[in-house]
Amino acid sequence: MTVSGRTPGRCGCRPTRRPSRPVSGPLAPARATGRPASRKWWRKHRRDIGAGYLFIAPAIIGFLVLVGYPIIFSGYHAFTDWNGLTAATWTGWHNFTYLFTQDPTFWPSLWATLLFTLISVPATLIVGLGLAMLLNRALAGVRWFRTIFFLPVVLPAVAVLTLWKYLYDPQYGLANQALTALHLPTSLWLGSTQMALPSIVIIGLWGCGATMMIFLAGLQTVPAELHEAARIDGAGPIRAFFTITLPMITPILLLQIVLQINQAFQTFTPIQLLTNGGPENTTNLLMYKIYFDGFQNFSKFPQLGYATAEVWVLFILVLIVTALTLRTSSLWVYADNTQD
């Protein structure tokens, strides 16, 4: 017999619903008391979590002390008049306003930095890649040549630059003696407004061993089968380089471009030891200008607040150039997205 169209159970009464099994574990729903159901899981793994935080604590503390605090500290003092000895005086945007509108050396320094970057970065990449191509061969003694070309990287920078200073000497330097022997016109090198900046670039090319080694590692990852197939199809060395080798190492090339851009914008040691920003501010790069305004400008010594503002301008400039490089990398960087 049915009531209201419902089907009764065997005993003629309504069927009862079997209660479901409660879910246990960290994914169990919270109880009515509002306590998190995963509290038992946290108690069980509390010791492991504490050990993990203990292991990463030195890195976190080091980052906060050596990176985080200096960023906040410099960000504040960029808006102050501060000499490093007395209390800083808040001046707002005065440092940046003076830098962009009244400082007579800022725009020439910015132009010299951009020009140096435009010359040194492509030149270093070309020379480094060329050396890597020459040394990426199974020849007798190739390891010795790799060591010789990499040696300038590990030599002391002060000793190397002192040697180059004597090489560039207008009267007794080896550079002019070699030009005289070849019946070519000599140069003032570091004392010439036209040759001072290229002379610094040449010194950088002499020490491009690190760039060579990174390119060499990238070249050794290119499959040999691709070159063999290209030779069978009749492709010459130049065509194989531009159609196989270069596209395959574009991720390494992107890395090198970013590294070289950052290094070019932060060039300081050659300027400090060889030219002091001269002649006529042609080598007064931004890094050296920051040092000069902060520590060597005796007419207004010291200007650490103003120099800190210049640091932030340089940081933003490097950030913009690097971001644009990475943003446009998808147009020319080869990425193998195939999955096994």
Side-chain angles (χ1 to χ4, degrees):
M1 182 175 178
T2 60
V3 180
S4 302
R6 298 181 180 178
T7 304
R10 293 181 179 179
C11 60
C13 60
R14 295 182 180 180
T16 58
R17 182 178 296 177
R18 181 176 297 177
S20 58
R21 296 180 70 181
V23 180
S24 60
L27 300 179
R31 297 182 178 180
T33 57
R35 297 178 180 179
S38 59
R39 177 170 296 180
K40 186 180 296 184
W41 183 88
W42 284 106
R43 290 178 180 176
K44 181 179 180 181
H45 298 278
R46 179 173 53 188
R47 183 173 298 178
D48 296 336
I49 296 173
Y53 280 114
L54 184 63
F55 278 115
I56 66 174
I60 295 176
I61 295 174
F63 176 82
L64 294 177
V65 173
L66 301 177
V67 179
Y69 173 73
I71 289 177
I72 298 174
F73 185 81
S74 64
Y76 167 75
H77 284 288
F79 297 91
T80 64
D81 181 12
W82 182 52
N83 59 12
L85 301 175
T86 60
T89 303
W90 181 265
T91 59
W93 293 94
H94 173 74
N95 288 336
F96 296 94
T97 304
Y98 180 86
L99 178 66
F100 287 107
T101 60
Q102 301 181 37
D103 192 336
T105 62
F106 171 71
W107 292 107
S109 176
L110 178 61
W111 167 247
T113 304
L114 295 176
L115 182 61
F116 177 79
T117 303
L118 291 175
I119 297 175
S120 65
V121 172
T124 304
L125 295 176
I126 292 173
V127 174
L129 181 57
L131 291 175
M133 293 288 295
L134 292 175
L135 299 178
N136 188 32
R137 301 173 183 273
L139 301 176
V142 68
R143 295 183 179 179
W144 288 100
F145 285 103
R146 293 175 183 174
T147 304
I148 291 172
F149 282 109
F150 185 75
L151 189 60
V153 179
V154 298
L155 294 177
V158 175
V160 170
L161 293 173
T162 303
L163 175 63
W164 276 100
K165 187 175 183 178
Y166 285 107
L167 291 175
Y168 280 143
D169 187 88
Q171 295 182 356
Y172 308 104
L174 185 61
N176 276 348
Q177 291 182 13
L179 293 176
T180 303
L182 297 174
H183 302 285
L184 296 175
T186 59
S187 174
L188 293 177
W189 299 108
L190 298 174
S192 170
T193 56
Q194 290 79 21
M195 287 300 301
L197 201 62
S199 299
I200 302 296
V201 174
I202 293 173
I203 297 175
L205 295 180
W206 184 74
C208 66
T211 304
M212 177 201 69
M213 294 301 294
I214 296 177
F215 273 129
L216 184 61
L219 291 173
Q220 293 180 352
T221 62
V222 179
E225 296 81 3
L226 297 179
H227 291 285
E228 294 178 0
R231 282 195 295 268
I232 294 174
D233 291 339
I238 297 178
R239 184 176 181 183
F241 172 78
F242 285 102
T243 58
I244 297 176
T245 304
L246 190 59
M248 293 293 292
I249 65 171
T250 46
I252 301 297
L253 182 60
L254 174 63
L255 170 65
Q256 290 285 61
I257 291 175
V258 173
L259 292 177
Q260 292 302 321
I261 288 175
N262 283 268
Q263 182 177 348
F265 274 103
Q266 299 178 56
T267 300
F268 169 76
T269 307
I271 310 300
Q272 166 67 10
L273 296 178
L274 299 179
T275 65
N276 289 323
E280 300 180 8
N281 291 327
T282 53
T283 61
N284 187 23
L285 305 185
L286 278 177
M287 248 340 249
Y288 181 77
K289 174 176 167 52
I290 292 170
Y291 167 76
F292 180 82
D293 290 339
F295 298 99
Q296 279 197 336
N297 191 354
F298 293 103
S299 62
K300 298 180 180 179
F301 178 85
Q303 302 180 84
L304 296 183
Y306 185 68
T308 305
E310 293 177 315
V311 169
W312 275 96
V313 171
L314 177 61
F315 169 74
I316 295 174
L317 180 61
V318 173
L319 188 65
I320 292 174
V321 175
T322 304
L324 290 176
T325 303
L326 297 176
R327 182 68 175 177
T328 58
S329 63
S330 60
L331 302 176
W332 55 274
V333 173
Y334 170 77
D336 187 5
N337 296 325
T338 57
Q339 299 180 356
D340 297 335

